Amino acid sequence: MSDKRNCSIDIFRLCAAFLVVAIHTSPFSDLNDELYFLFTDVMARTAVPFFFCTTGYYFSKRLNEKKEFHSYFKSLFIPYCIWSGIYAIFNIVLKLFDHSIASFTDLLKFLFEGFFLLGTNEHLWFYPAMFIALLVMIILYKARILKLFIPLGIALFIIMVMSTAYSEILGDLVLLKYVKYEYVRSLCVAIPYMALGYILTYLDKVKLKNTITIPLTAICFTVYYFEKNFVRSNNTGRSSVNVFSLYLFIAVFMLFLINNPKPNLKKYASFSRRASGFIYFVHPIISSPIGFLFGEIYGLHFETLTFFITCILSVGIFYFIYRKHNKKSLFFG
């Protein structure tokens, strides 16, 4: 693993992967509404911004080094292509059965949107959005105006939050009201948080004590929680997924991780990084049949159990492949 990698960031990637599983399985919704809100709608919603931010952080560090840049891009692109192909085949079969693909044109539209815009499965939207944001970074870098990526990201983030979390307040000022949100996630979600990762590269040498970053992280998370609760309670917008304070929380939390690189944990960091990629890709294959078994066949609502079974099986399958086959498998991501 490159010395440029931060072990604390890579280890937390595994936690973030579990939070992504939570987004898609809704744990605690069958037990307690407030616990569900705290874990799934507040904590879990930090995962995707965290992944975008770390991608922007690492990618920015490699723009000046062609060999490392190509290696890093390859580590993102090849697993995405493999898993996109797997999910494309699976979803094409399903769509043929329910007749949502009725012509060759429908098939081409699904493949184009799947690979380049929306993902061939719902959770894979992250990767097309990330690649589009990376393309914007590269263009700005080649034009020697990469610093414009920062105000661009901040501006798009403000537009996104105003157009989602506070759309009911702003009314006709909401720009995304007239645009399909799924088509602009690369602009309004990926670019802002990857721009934040780029900002954080300038703070690498700023050493902050844990006595500062830990309380500050706790304060920012508390503010984030209350803003989410405000949006939910007052129905101020169509979605509370992204709120203003989330950006601040991710920034401060990343500063905490950057200031605690833990280089002695490289072995665990390498395992966590690869496990997080595998769990991100594979978890719908595990959670979907479990959810179908509980919900459709037996009529039971065991979302919490589905979440834990999915996490355990995902880690178990990964560990088997990691130990018995190839630790650098292209399936890991």
Side-chain angles (χ1 to χ4, degrees), residues 232-253:
R232 176 185 67 154
S233 302
N234 294 280
N235 294 315
T236 61
R238 70 183 74 178
S239 170
S240 65
V241 171
N242 285 283
V243 292
F244 288 117
S245 51
L246 176 57
Y247 204 76
L248 183 61
F249 168 72
I250 295 296
V252 174
F253 181 63

Side-chain angles (χ1 to χ4, degrees), residues 55 71 92 122 170 189 196 233 270 307 313 317 333:
T55 301
S71 176
I92 286 171
E122 183 181 5
L170 296 168
V189 182
L196 177 58
S233 302
S270 177
F307 167 70
L313 288 179
I317 295 169

Side-chain angles (χ1 to χ4, degrees), residues 32-61:
N32 182 276
D33 288 343
E34 290 305 314
L35 185 58
Y36 163 73
F37 173 70
L38 174 62
F39 186 75
T40 304
D41 202 30
V42 178
M43 293 176 62
R45 291 297 179 180
T46 66
V48 172
F50 169 79
F51 279 124
F52 277 131
C53 186
T54 57
T55 301
Y57 177 74
Y58 283 131
F59 193 78
S60 300
K61 287 174 169 289

Side-chain angles (χ1 to χ4, degrees), residues 172-211:
D172 291 338
L173 294 176
V174 180
L175 300 179
L176 294 185
K177 183 177 181 180
Y178 309 102
V179 182
K180 190 175 180 180
Y181 176 66
E182 288 77 9
Y183 288 122
V184 295
R185 281 187 290 199
S186 56
L187 297 176
C188 295
V189 182
I191 288 179
Y193 287 108
M194 288 175 64
L196 177 58
Y198 174 52
I199 293 171
L200 291 169
T201 61
Y202 287 97
L203 302 177
D204 265 346
K205 296 180 181 180
V206 178
K207 299 302 179 183
L208 298 175
K209 294 181 178 179
N210 287 343
T211 52

Side-chain angles (χ1 to χ4, degrees), residues 92-273:
I92 286 171
V93 172
L94 291 181
K95 289 177 181 293
L96 288 173
F97 273 104
D98 66 15
H99 304 293
S100 56
I101 290 182
S103 67
F104 185 67
T105 302
D106 291 338
L107 176 61
L108 290 179
K109 181 183 178 183
F110 167 75
L111 290 174
F112 177 81
E113 287 187 338
F115 278 97
F116 298 108
L117 293 174
L118 307 178
T120 55
N121 200 63
E122 183 181 5
H123 72 300
L124 292 179
W125 73 268
F126 173 90
Y127 279 84
M130 176 185 66
F131 289 131
I132 292 172
L134 289 178
L135 179 61
V136 173
M137 284 189 75
I138 293 170
I139 292 172
L140 294 177
Y141 173 74
K142 293 292 185 181
R144 300 183 184 277
I145 51 173
L146 183 57
K147 289 186 178 180
L148 288 182
F149 195 58
I150 296 173
L152 174 64
I154 293 172
L156 288 172
F157 179 76
I158 293 171
I159 291 173
M160 180 204 31
V161 175
M162 290 169 60
S163 303
T164 54
Y166 297 102
S167 59
E168 294 300 319
I169 295 175
L170 296 168
D172 291 338
L173 294 176
V174 180
L175 300 179
L176 294 185
K177 183 177 181 180
Y178 309 102
V179 182
K180 190 175 180 180
Y181 176 66
E182 288 77 9
Y183 288 122
V184 295
R185 281 187 290 199
S186 56
L187 297 176
C188 295
V189 182
I191 288 179
Y193 287 108
M194 288 175 64
L196 177 58
Y198 174 52
I199 293 171
L200 291 169
T201 61
Y202 287 97
L203 302 177
D204 265 346
K205 296 180 181 180
V206 178
K207 299 302 179 183
L208 298 175
K209 294 181 178 179
N210 287 343
T211 52
I212 296 175
T213 55
I214 292 176
L216 195 56
T217 300
I219 291 170
C220 289
F221 181 82
T222 303
V223 173
Y224 165 57
Y225 170 82
F226 279 111
E227 186 182 5
K228 290 275 286 191
N229 196 44
F230 172 81
V231 171
R232 176 185 67 154
S233 302
N234 294 280
N235 294 315
T236 61
R238 70 183 74 178
S239 170
S240 65
V241 171
N242 285 283
V243 292
F244 288 117
S245 51
L246 176 57
Y247 204 76
L248 183 61
F249 168 72
I250 295 296
V252 174
F253 181 63
M254 281 289 292
L255 277 177
F256 165 71
L257 296 177
I258 290 170
N259 279 273
N260 292 274
K262 305 297 182 184
N264 57 314
L265 298 178
K266 284 186 178 181
K267 180 180 178 181
Y268 301 102
S270 177
F271 176 89
S272 297
R273 177 164 54 90

Side-chain angles (χ1 to χ4, degrees), residues 6-55:
N6 178 297
C7 292
S8 293
I9 291 176
D10 284 344
I11 289 172
F12 187 77
R13 282 169 60 94
L14 181 56
C15 301
F18 291 137
L19 292 178
V20 170
V21 178
I23 293 172
H24 299 137
T25 56
S26 302
F28 307 115
S29 60
D30 53 336
L31 299 178
N32 182 276
D33 288 343
E34 290 305 314
L35 185 58
Y36 163 73
F37 173 70
L38 174 62
F39 186 75
T40 304
D41 202 30
V42 178
M43 293 176 62
R45 291 297 179 180
T46 66
V48 172
F50 169 79
F51 279 124
F52 277 131
C53 186
T54 57
T55 301

Side-chain angles (χ1 to χ4, degrees), residues 278-279 282-283 286 309-319:
F278 182 79
I279 292 168
V282 81
H283 74 269
I286 299 172
I309 291 175
T310 301
C311 290
I312 292 169
L313 288 179
S314 297
V315 173
I317 295 169
F318 167 77
Y319 186 75

